């Protein structure tokens, strides 16, 4: 998106520079050695310049939206990474707590922890 915006802005700027450098009379418009037909008065030349300015600004708006989107995306990824690290840390702390509780239970029962037998579901008719 940033690339497209830069290309639109660069194209508009290139055409505008071509117009400025090649036009000597106020009532004709020449771009890169080619006369633009239909532009015979000053207001038409002005309107063509205004249109080029609008195209340039549209390209710059696209660039800024693209930069903002990229920034938001990086921030979101950073936040997700922080959440994941916090979750991993929480799980590690829970694992350590459970290991200590198991060791305590084993030492209280003479080295054997009482683990309940798994329940097996029986089908009922």
């Amino acid at each position: 998106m940033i690339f497209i915006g830069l290309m639109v802005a660069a194209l508009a700027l290139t055409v505008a520079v071509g117009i400025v450098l090649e036009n000597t009379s106020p009532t004709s418009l020449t771009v890169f050695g080619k006369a633009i037909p239909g532009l015979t008065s000053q207001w038409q030349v002005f309107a063509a310049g205004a249109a080029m300015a609008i195209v340039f600004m549209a390209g710059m708006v696209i660039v800024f939206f693209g930069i903002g989107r990229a920034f938001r995306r990086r921030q979101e990824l950073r936040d997700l990474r922080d959440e994941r690290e916090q979750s991993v840390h929480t799980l590690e702390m829970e694992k350590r707590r459970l290991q200590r509780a198991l060791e305590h239970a084993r030492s209280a029962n003479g080295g054997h922890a009482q683990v309940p037998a798994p329940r097996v579901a029986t089908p009922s008719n």
Side-chain angles (χ1 to χ4, degrees):
M1 192 164 185
I2 295 171
F3 179 74
I4 292 171
L6 285 175
M7 293 307 295
V8 168
L11 179 66
L13 192 60
T14 302
V15 170
V17 167
I19 289 170
V20 169
L21 293 178
E22 294 197 19
N23 287 296
T24 55
S25 80
T27 58
S28 68
L29 187 60
T30 306
V31 179
F32 301 116
K34 305 243 183 205
I36 305 296
L39 299 177
T40 58
S41 66
Q42 289 182 348
W43 73 268
Q44 290 173 333
V45 173
F46 175 78
M52 293 301 349
I54 289 170
V55 170
F56 176 76
M57 291 305 295
M60 294 309 294
V61 166
I62 291 170
V63 168
F64 288 126
F65 280 146
I67 289 171
R69 181 178 180 218
F71 177 75
R72 285 188 305 275
R73 187 176 211 175
R74 267 180 276 172
Q75 183 66 37
E76 183 178 317
L77 287 173
R78 218 176 291 132
D79 291 343
L80 288 172
R81 190 178 316 120
D82 291 344
E83 281 181 32
R84 183 186 57 82
E85 288 174 4
Q86 184 179 11
S87 176
V88 167
H89 180 69
T90 303
L91 289 172
E92 287 174 352
M93 296 298 291
E94 180 69 13
K95 178 184 171 187
R96 287 187 198 121
R97 185 187 68 76
L98 290 172
Q99 284 174 339
R100 283 192 302 267
L102 180 62
E103 289 172 7
H104 179 66
R106 283 184 179 163
S107 66
N109 292 329
H112 300 294
Q114 296 292 331
V115 179
R119 293 185 182 186
V120 178
T122 58
S124 59
N125 292 330

